[in-house]
Amino acid sequence: MRGKHVILSFVLLVTGFIVSLSYQYANENQADPTVSESQWRHEDELRREILMQQTANRDRQEQLRQVQRNVRELEAEIAQQEATYFNLVEDLEKLRKVTGKVEVQGPGIEVSLSDYSYVPEEGNPNDYIVHEQHIHKVVHELIVSDAEAIAINGQRISHHSYIQCAGPVIRIDGHTSYAPFVITAIGDPDKFEQSLNIIGGVKDQLVNDQIEVRIQKRDNIVLDPFLSEKG
């Protein structure tokens, strides 16, 4: 009888232990869904924030690309304006050089025209001196050869200059000049020399008119402004 009580007590103890474990396990299973749901809500909130941030970033990137496009367009417009202004200034400077309003310096050429050294007794002296048409020929040839500036005996000439023969002298814009007449031009010396020395060209024509011609290339020539423009 005593042995039965011991066995019964042992069975009850084991049963109690199993019930206790079952209760604890049940409580843990009831807590897990609550924790999982909280984590899910937190993760879902993070996902929404990430999506919102990504959308905002895309908007900012598009805004940045638009700003960059605007900057490039503005830079291109400014570059075009600068090129236009540069060309205008360059054209103005060339015009001022041609009209004789500014001092000009650079390589060029000197063409010296002298009266013929020997005049026959039966000859007409006027046939052996430099006339305005001779100077006009040289000046015209230098102009078509792209001369930047031209002077005669150091006197700058402009687009409206006039050259007039008065006996043995020549008047340039009202100023008297004597032979020899040194015509100075700034530009490409080689081009000038070739154009003046071409067969049948200006030099040959002058020599045929009994004019002594001397042509010299110069590394550097300085021409003052047109007389009426000097301060």
Side-chain angles (χ1 to χ4, degrees), residues 85-133:
Y85 294 150
F86 176 80
N87 291 335
L88 288 175
V89 171
E90 191 176 48
D91 291 342
L92 178 60
E93 187 63 22
K94 288 180 180 178
L95 181 60
R96 294 179 68 191
K97 290 179 179 179
V98 171
T99 57
K101 292 182 178 294
V102 294
E103 179 183 278
V104 184
Q105 180 175 350
I109 201 167
E110 284 184 357
V111 182
S112 179
L113 307 182
S114 301
D115 298 337
Y116 199 61
S117 57
Y118 172 73
V119 179
E121 292 183 2
E122 68 278 8
N124 184 348
N126 285 330
D127 295 336
Y128 297 89
I129 64 174
V130 179
H131 293 285
E132 59 187 73
Q133 65 266 24

Side-chain angles (χ1 to χ4, degrees), residues 19-219:
V19 171
S20 176
L21 287 177
S22 298
Y23 179 77
Q24 183 178 356
Y25 179 75
N27 287 338
E28 289 178 356
N29 286 341
Q30 290 176 358
D32 286 342
T34 302
V35 173
S36 299
E37 183 177 356
S38 175
Q39 292 177 347
W40 181 84
R41 290 178 179 176
H42 180 65
E43 292 175 359
D44 186 59
E45 183 66 25
L46 289 177
R47 280 193 295 270
R48 283 198 300 269
E49 290 181 2
I50 291 173
L51 291 174
M52 292 174 62
Q53 191 63 42
Q54 289 176 342
T55 301
N57 289 340
R58 283 194 296 269
D59 293 340
R60 293 189 185 97
Q61 289 175 352
E62 181 58 33
Q63 292 174 1
L64 177 59
R65 283 192 290 267
Q66 184 60 45
V67 170
Q68 291 174 335
R69 285 193 292 267
N70 293 339
V71 170
R72 286 194 296 269
E73 291 175 0
L74 182 59
E75 289 175 343
E77 183 178 350
I78 292 175
Q80 180 63 35
Q81 291 178 352
E82 289 179 348
T84 301
Y85 294 150
F86 176 80
N87 291 335
L88 288 175
V89 171
E90 191 176 48
D91 291 342
L92 178 60
E93 187 63 22
K94 288 180 180 178
L95 181 60
R96 294 179 68 191
K97 290 179 179 179
V98 171
T99 57
K101 292 182 178 294
V102 294
E103 179 183 278
V104 184
Q105 180 175 350
I109 201 167
E110 284 184 357
V111 182
S112 179
L113 307 182
S114 301
D115 298 337
Y116 199 61
S117 57
Y118 172 73
V119 179
E121 292 183 2
E122 68 278 8
N124 184 348
N126 285 330
D127 295 336
Y128 297 89
I129 64 174
V130 179
H131 293 285
E132 59 187 73
Q133 65 266 24
H134 300 134
I135 295 177
H136 276 299
K137 286 182 179 180
V138 176
V139 170
H140 177 73
E141 189 65 31
L142 294 173
I143 290 175
V144 298
S145 298
D146 300 324
E148 294 182 14
I150 300 175
I152 302 173
N153 284 359
Q155 180 180 330
R156 186 81 171 272
I157 63 173
S158 69
H159 64 294
H160 52 69
S161 291
Y162 66 91
I163 302 171
Q164 184 180 19
C165 192
V169 300
I170 289 178
R171 294 182 63 80
I172 304 168
D173 296 328
H175 302 277
T176 302
S177 191
Y178 300 87
F181 301 100
V182 180
I183 304 170
T184 314
I186 292 179
D188 186 342
D190 294 328
K191 186 175 183 180
F192 291 151
E193 187 178 49
Q194 291 173 5
S195 63
L196 291 170
N197 286 316
I198 190 171
I199 297 176
V202 172
K203 182 180 178 180
D204 286 350
Q205 294 173 23
L206 295 175
V207 171
N208 290 336
D209 286 346
Q210 314 304 323
I211 303 300
E212 294 183 358
V213 182
R214 185 166 58 91
I215 299 174
Q216 288 184 306
K217 294 189 290 185
R218 300 294 186 187
D219 294 331

